[in-house]
Amino acid sequence: MKIERNLSQGVVGGTAERLSSIHSLLSFSTKKGGNLTMTIAIRDSQLTIIQPSGHINAANAAEFQRQLTAAVTSAPQAILVDMYRVDSLDSAGLMSLICAFRLAQRLNRRFGICGVPPSIQMIFELTRLDAAFEIFPSRDAFAAMLERGEESVKLIA
């Protein structure tokens, strides 16, 4: 497994005015073709945004989960996973999200998901995890909810 870490300054996606800097850019791939790139950004020192892109599957789910765990444990208040660049998600990738969500709950941190493509939204609906995860249409919708101070009512037992 090859792992690259590049520190840089900039923005992620279309919300340049909302993000102060990119914390780090992580790119990893496996020999089985499980390519995945992940960008982690910190916004206003309260929100960490994780943006994976590519395929999240059994070939890279363990590394994805390690990165999610690191982000959740270091995030001050809230974590948002922006899925708009994710091409596919299998059960191993879904389990990584569930583990990160449970960890966030134990640490009293908010955990949300946004930008979910229709094919992946269907997976959340079929598994009924759309009722457990807080899923938002955009980063701005999640940020607005945080600014209003709304409490989360979603739980995974």
Side-chain angles (χ1 to χ4, degrees):
M1 182 178 294
K2 176 183 169 189
I3 300 175
E4 298 174 7
R5 186 176 191 101
N6 300 315
L7 297 177
S8 60
Q9 296 295 323
V11 296
V12 178
T15 57
E17 64 283 353
R18 306 290 310 235
L19 298 173
S20 57
S21 68
I22 290 179
H23 181 268
S24 63
L25 175 64
L26 303 164
S27 176
F28 48 92
S29 61
T30 64
K31 292 181 181 178
K32 295 182 181 180
N35 292 334
L36 177 70
T37 302
M38 188 179 338
T39 304
I40 301 174
I42 298 175
R43 176 199 168 273
D44 298 336
S45 72
Q46 295 179 28
L47 172 60
T48 299
I49 300 173
I50 302 165
Q51 183 181 337
S53 64
H55 304 279
I56 305 173
N57 54 38
N60 57 34
E63 183 61 31
F64 180 56
Q65 186 170 339
R66 278 191 286 281
Q67 297 300 330
L68 285 173
T69 298
V72 169
T73 57
S74 65
Q77 292 182 347
I79 299 91
L80 179 65
V81 181
D82 188 341
M83 308 261 311
Y84 91 96
R85 289 187 175 167
V86 174
D87 298 321
S88 65
L89 177 75
D90 74 0
S91 60
L94 192 59
M95 194 63 202
S96 296
L97 289 170
I98 292 168
C99 290
F101 178 62
R102 286 181 174 164
L103 177 61
Q105 286 182 322
R106 284 194 304 273
L107 297 174
N108 293 320
R109 290 179 175 81
R110 199 69 178 259
F111 187 92
I113 298 172
C114 75
V116 180
S119 61
I120 295 173
Q121 179 67 33
M122 188 183 318
I123 293 169
F124 287 124
E125 291 169 2
L126 289 171
T127 59
R128 297 186 183 215
L129 287 171
D130 60 325
F133 287 118
E134 290 187 288
I135 301 175
F136 297 86
S138 67
R139 293 175 181 191
D140 289 337
F142 184 76
M145 179 272 314
L146 287 177
E147 289 173 11
R148 289 191 303 268
E150 294 178 17
E151 294 293 320
S152 175
V153 295
K154 306 242 178 168
L155 297 171
I156 294 181

